[in-house]
Amino acid sequence: MLFLLAAVACDDETKFCDQALNTDLHMRFIRDSAGFTRDTTMAQVTLYALKMDSIYRKQAVSDVFLSLSPVADSSRFYLKVDSISDPDTITFRYKRAPHFVSPGCGFATFFNLDTVISTNNTIQSLLINQKAITSTTNDTAHITLYFGI
Amino acid sequence: MIQRILLYILVFSSSCIAARAQVKKPALTPIDSSVRAADTTARKNVAEKKKPVPALPDSIYEVPGGIRIGIDISRFILKVFQPYRTDVSFAGDMRIKKDLYLAAELGFHSTSHSDSNYTYKGNGIFTTVGVDWNFLQKISNKERYMIYGGIRYGFAHLNYEAPSYTIYDSYWGDKLPGSFPKTSVNAHWVELILGLKAEVLKNFFLGWSIREKIKVSGPSKDLAFPPIVIPGFGSGTKGSQFDWQYTVSYCIPLGNIKVHVPRKAEPPKRR
């Protein structure tokens, strides 16, 4: 009886990390055809931060996750959605704050978006749905990208 | 003359016996009409029956009192499961009524944790104050076993800090070092308790209890840096916490408590 009570009340919270520490920004692709919008899968998505390795390389995806720099207040990404379209550059400006996720996981960086600017070579417009980036498991995309192609 | 004096003494003593019988008998059983008819003593004192009956005295008896002071040894067992915690907790209670006890706890706590992600240091004190109600029906007035339910208000003050932490980022390849300065917070909670205590040797008690602690105010997991442990409460990121306690205690006898039992009203006589 006492052992059971001890097991319930005495779990070591520092031993296990049961949450993701990455706080990735989630972007969703929407195709806008004469005012009629729908989710779309882009055929060959290439995405990377400037001067960094690729996150996606010619992959067919309908949404992407990207990691903002934890040591700078802005990050700039290259996005090309298919082989024939011109690439775009998206610039994210944000505030950073360390956050204690749990005793088992330690600290992660939480972001809060200030502005998002993109070139309009292929991207028609963008919408910030949620400024706070605190969890990778969030189903709601932080940003929606609208394409006219 | 001597015969008259003896007669007066006899009448006086018989009237005294009759008066005492009137006080005692109704408290035991209602007098049956047939018995009343045969009670010749009462017949002799018709004049006394007309006098107003004095209020019956209430029953008073004594139960052992004192202050019970003990140490919670479950906190040392807890350190086996949670090595980053060091807790010392003292518990005490004092009987204020037959089944009601004034209870309090006092303790201090320190946390020290270090791994590849962060280091953490914290310390603080806590106290709880409340009452216990003994449900156990005792066989003897001197018996001091308890099966009880209780309620406590708890308060803790703590300081904590993260002298160093590192955030790793697999894509950017960065290690972001940092630290959180010392923070002072207070916490308030309510505890609901079920437990028992047994007198294993004269004035020595062993007891255990289970308790649910519900945080009323204090640091929450929404903070950028909540404490890992709140002294006396438990996890710093939970709103409620189940806990248990095992105490070894000694009762310092400080006299007895008088228990006042009001006499039950006499049932109305049948006519």
Side-chain angles (χ1 to χ4, degrees):
Chain A
M1 172 77 172
L2 283 177
F3 186 79
L4 182 68
L5 291 174
V8 172
C10 306
D11 59 319
D12 186 347
E13 290 186 281
T14 63
K15 268 194 173 176
F16 304 105
C17 178
D18 54 358
Q19 297 175 61
L21 280 177
N22 291 335
T23 46
D24 290 346
L25 185 146
H26 183 196
M27 288 198 301
R28 189 164 66 117
F29 301 149
I30 296 284
R31 197 183 293 270
D32 187 347
S33 301
F36 181 74
T37 59
R38 65 183 191 278
D39 287 332
T40 186
T41 299
M42 295 301 182
Q44 291 184 324
V45 174
T46 298
L47 174 71
Y48 56 84
L50 299 185
K51 299 178 184 176
M52 295 293 292
D53 293 337
S54 294
I55 303 169
Y56 296 87
R57 183 188 291 272
K58 295 183 178 177
Q59 291 178 40
V61 289
S62 61
D63 56 354
V64 291
F65 292 86
L66 56 91
S67 175
L68 301 173
S69 172
V71 294
D73 289 334
S74 68
S75 301
R76 186 168 288 179
F77 286 82
Y78 169 97
L79 176 67
K80 185 173 170 65
V81 293
D82 58 38
S83 58
I84 56 169
S85 302
D86 291 330
D88 280 297
T89 303
I90 309 172
T91 303
F92 301 94
R93 293 201 179 102
Y94 48 84
K95 290 186 177 67
R96 297 169 288 134
H99 191 93
F100 189 68
V101 176
S102 73
C105 300
F107 288 84
T109 304
F110 280 10
F111 301 94
N112 199 57
L113 291 171
D114 285 331
T115 54
V116 182
I117 303 163
S118 76
T119 57
N120 295 112
N121 298 326
T122 310
I123 296 170
Q124 195 175 64
S125 62
L126 65 83
L127 177 67
I128 301 174
N129 302 311
Q130 190 175 318
K131 288 192 168 186
I133 303 167
T134 58
S135 172
T136 299
T137 54
N138 195 346
D139 288 335
T140 306
H142 300 104
I143 289 173
T144 304
L145 292 181
Y146 292 91
F147 296 91
I149 53 174
Chain B
M1 182 66 182
I2 294 170
Q3 287 90 347
R4 287 181 72 92
I5 292 170
L6 286 174
L7 184 64
Y8 286 141
I9 291 171
L10 185 66
V11 170
F12 180 72
S13 60
S14 63
S15 66
C16 285
I17 291 166
R20 288 185 66 178
Q22 279 180 347
V23 170
K24 279 188 177 176
K25 279 182 181 175
L28 298 172
T29 50
I31 298 167
D32 190 66
S33 58
S34 60
V35 176
R36 202 186 308 149
D39 189 355
T40 52
T41 313
R43 268 186 202 166
K44 287 179 183 175
N45 302 289
V46 175
E48 286 185 12
K49 277 186 180 177
K50 289 177 183 175
K51 290 178 183 174
V53 178
L56 298 174
D58 291 346
S59 173
I60 294 174
Y61 64 95
E62 292 187 332
V63 292
I67 296 175
R68 185 164 33 205
I69 297 170
I71 188 164
D72 178 8
I73 60 172
S74 72
R75 299 303 94 177
F76 305 117
I77 299 167
L78 190 66
K79 192 162 179 64
V80 176
F81 296 93
Q82 299 178 347
Y84 52 92
R85 287 181 64 163
T86 303
D87 297 81
V88 179
S89 174
F90 300 97
D93 64 355
M94 186 176 73
R95 196 176 207 164
I96 51 175
K97 287 194 173 178
K98 177 173 165 269
D99 292 317
L100 187 66
Y101 294 75
L102 192 65
E105 284 147 31
L106 184 69
F108 62 90
H109 161 92
S110 73
T111 309
S112 181
H113 174 72
S114 178
D115 63 25
S116 58
N117 294 323
Y118 69 102
T119 57
Y120 178 97
K121 286 180 180 175
N123 60 70
I125 55 168
F126 75 93
T127 184
T128 66
V129 180
V131 290
D132 291 332
W133 181 264
N134 187 14
F135 300 120
L136 191 66
Q137 296 295 318
K138 295 182 182 65
I139 298 167
S140 154
N141 291 338
K142 300 294 177 187
E143 194 176 288
R144 293 198 282 184
Y145 296 105
M146 286 178 71
I147 296 175
Y148 63 95
I151 188 166
R152 303 272 191 284
Y153 157 75
F155 168 79
H157 175 77
L158 66 150
N159 302 304
Y160 64 101
E161 62 180 317
S164 66
Y165 67 78
T166 306
I167 298 173
Y168 299 93
D169 190 289
S170 57
Y171 179 67
W172 294 88
D174 292 321
K175 284 184 182 179
L176 182 67
S179 65
F180 255 99
K182 186 177 275 189
T183 308
S184 294
V185 291
N186 297 327
H188 306 261
W189 68 92
V190 173
E191 294 182 17
L192 302 173
I193 302 168
L194 277 177
L196 62 85
K197 283 176 185 162
E199 187 175 17
V200 290
L201 292 170
K202 186 166 175 58
N203 292 326
F204 274 98
F205 289 80
L206 292 179
W208 61 264
S209 64
I210 53 173
R211 46 189 68 202
E212 181 68 16
K213 304 173 179 181
I214 302 147
K215 197 192 294 175
V216 178
S217 72
S220 71
K221 64 178 180 181
D222 297 328
L223 284 177
F225 180 41
I228 294 179
V229 179
I230 296 172
F233 178 79
S235 172
T237 54
K238 292 179 181 172
S240 65
Q241 174 84 60
F242 176 79
D243 203 356
W244 65 294
Q245 193 182 63
Y246 198 100
T247 54
V248 179
S249 48
Y250 179 77
C251 184
I252 303 164
L254 295 173
N256 294 328
I257 306 266
K258 283 184 180 175
V259 179
H260 182 256
V261 182
R263 180 81 66 180
K264 285 180 184 173
E266 189 178 349
K269 289 178 183 175
R270 281 185 290 174
R271 292 184 178 178

